[in-house]
Amino acid sequence: MNLANSSPERAREPAGLFAGYGADYLDGAMMALPETVATGEAFFLCSGSERVFTAYREELEVVASAHCFGTDPGAAEVHDLAVLGTGYAALTGFLHALALLEPSGTDPEWFAPLAARRSLAARHGRVPAGAGPGGGGPLVR
């Protein structure tokens, strides 16, 4: 079983390789935060060999509930990317809301300090270090 994140196409490549050796292949993704492992909140997305999924489902579910999306090894990756895309969209919306609050002077105490938000965004190449009010640059590039 491969749990590395990739594309649907790259998830299908090993399936062909393993089939050439007479081995079954199961691709998947684990959707969990560290604190949710072995709780009802964590889950596996799997696709590929139904025989392997059925044979090892009980072992997988010690760590997280397991769901199979059929025999196409790329199907789990499609679902993984959709879930991750939704999460990133929610995070981006939240960060955008923070950016909109800055020019209005609204900066409640429970928000992270402006400098820390700029530093985090700059490290990930999303916002120039001098951006924002008084910084002379755009908030997003």
Side-chain angles (χ1 to χ4, degrees):
M1 178 172 196
N2 178 22
L3 293 175
N5 186 293
S6 67
S7 68
E9 294 79 21
R10 291 194 64 181
R12 292 179 185 114
E13 291 172 13
L17 176 68
F18 286 110
Y21 290 100
D24 289 324
Y25 175 77
L26 188 65
D27 194 81
M30 184 174 188
M31 308 304 287
L33 298 171
E35 61 270 14
T36 65
V37 172
T39 72
E41 295 178 35
F43 57 96
F44 285 109
L45 305 174
C46 303
S47 60
S49 171
E50 288 182 8
R51 187 190 71 73
V52 171
F53 179 77
T54 302
Y56 294 99
R57 184 175 190 169
E58 188 174 323
E59 286 81 358
L60 287 170
E61 291 192 336
V62 168
V63 179
S65 63
H67 308 278
C68 188
F69 290 93
T71 58
D72 175 6
E77 291 298 334
V78 169
H79 288 81
D80 176 38
L81 294 172
V83 171
L84 290 175
T86 301
Y88 286 128
L91 177 61
T92 301
F94 174 74
L95 293 174
H96 186 109
L98 289 179
L100 290 174
L101 289 174
E102 289 175 14
S104 70
T106 305
D107 194 15
E109 290 180 13
W110 51 272
F111 284 125
L114 175 61
R117 290 195 312 270
R118 281 192 186 141
S119 172
L120 176 65
R123 271 190 300 216
H124 294 284
R126 302 290 183 217
V127 179
L139 286 175
V140 180
R141 62 173 163 179

